[in-house]
Amino acid sequence: MPFAEFTDGLRVGHEEIDHQHATLFDAVNRLHGALRTGRSREEQGGILSFLRSYTVDHFQMEETYMKEKGYPGLESHRVLHHALIEQVMELEDKYAAGSMTLSIMTMHFLKDWLTNHIQNEDRKLAVFLRANP
Ligand SMILES: [Fe+2]
Ligand SMILES: [Fe+2]
């Protein structure tokens, strides 16, 4: 069983959003695997960097939908996105500077953040998008 399983319960019913969430979970699993099997810093750093850039793109995609459709929760949703990006960028910088190693705690943080965000925020957005196609 993967570390972060993208279960059906995590699907919000929007094809593009679900697909990107699955890719994010996949990257978290790859990073977890690289950590667990003691892969090189280079390899771990590469996955971390992919995770950061894919997360930025994914959040932008959601925010574009919110803007286009006049989603009332845009501002608060965007604040949450922004806060995670800041944290992941800090993580990436520290990691690249050699001042930290990835920990299982970090992996749990990422997995829990994504899970909670999808269930609480992205699900609301998907419901809105279905009602406002
Ligand atoms: Fe999302
Ligand atoms: Fe989101």
Side-chain angles (χ1 to χ4, degrees):
M1 197 168 127
F3 168 71
E5 193 175 6
F6 189 69
T7 59
D8 281 346
L10 280 169
R11 292 185 184 278
V12 297
H14 184 287
E15 202 181 333
E16 193 181 5
I17 294 176
D18 282 336
H19 173 77
Q20 295 191 359
H21 287 163
T23 304
L24 285 171
F25 269 65
D26 184 59
V28 168
N29 284 324
R30 282 193 291 128
L31 192 55
H32 178 261
L35 175 68
R36 200 171 44 84
T37 55
R39 305 311 283 259
S40 67
R41 280 187 73 83
E42 211 177 13
E43 197 171 325
Q44 293 182 13
I47 304 170
L48 187 57
S49 150
F50 170 82
L51 187 61
R52 190 255 310 137
S53 71
Y54 197 88
T55 302
V56 169
D57 291 348
H58 169 66
F59 287 174
Q60 265 170 12
M61 182 275 282
E62 285 186 356
E63 288 166 24
T64 300
Y65 275 124
M66 292 188 230
K67 265 180 248 160
E68 277 176 9
K69 304 292 179 184
Y71 182 58
L74 187 151
E75 266 321 309
S76 58
H77 197 137
R78 187 156 54 188
V79 166
L80 295 169
H81 282 173
H82 200 82
L84 182 75
I85 294 293
E86 293 276 299
Q87 277 178 285
V88 173
M89 275 168 55
E90 200 185 313
L91 207 69
E92 195 187 359
D93 286 349
K94 279 190 189 164
Y95 191 80
S99 62
M100 68 163 280
T101 52
L102 282 173
S103 70
I104 195 72
M105 238 170 75
T106 307
M107 297 312 306
H108 277 285
F109 163 76
L110 289 171
K111 172 185 165 174
D112 293 346
W113 193 97
L114 285 172
T115 302
N116 290 331
H117 184 80
I118 290 170
Q119 296 294 30
N120 297 317
E121 301 300 325
D122 293 345
R123 191 170 294 287
K124 271 192 277 184
L125 171 61
V127 168
F128 177 84
L129 292 177
R130 267 199 299 281
N132 299 271

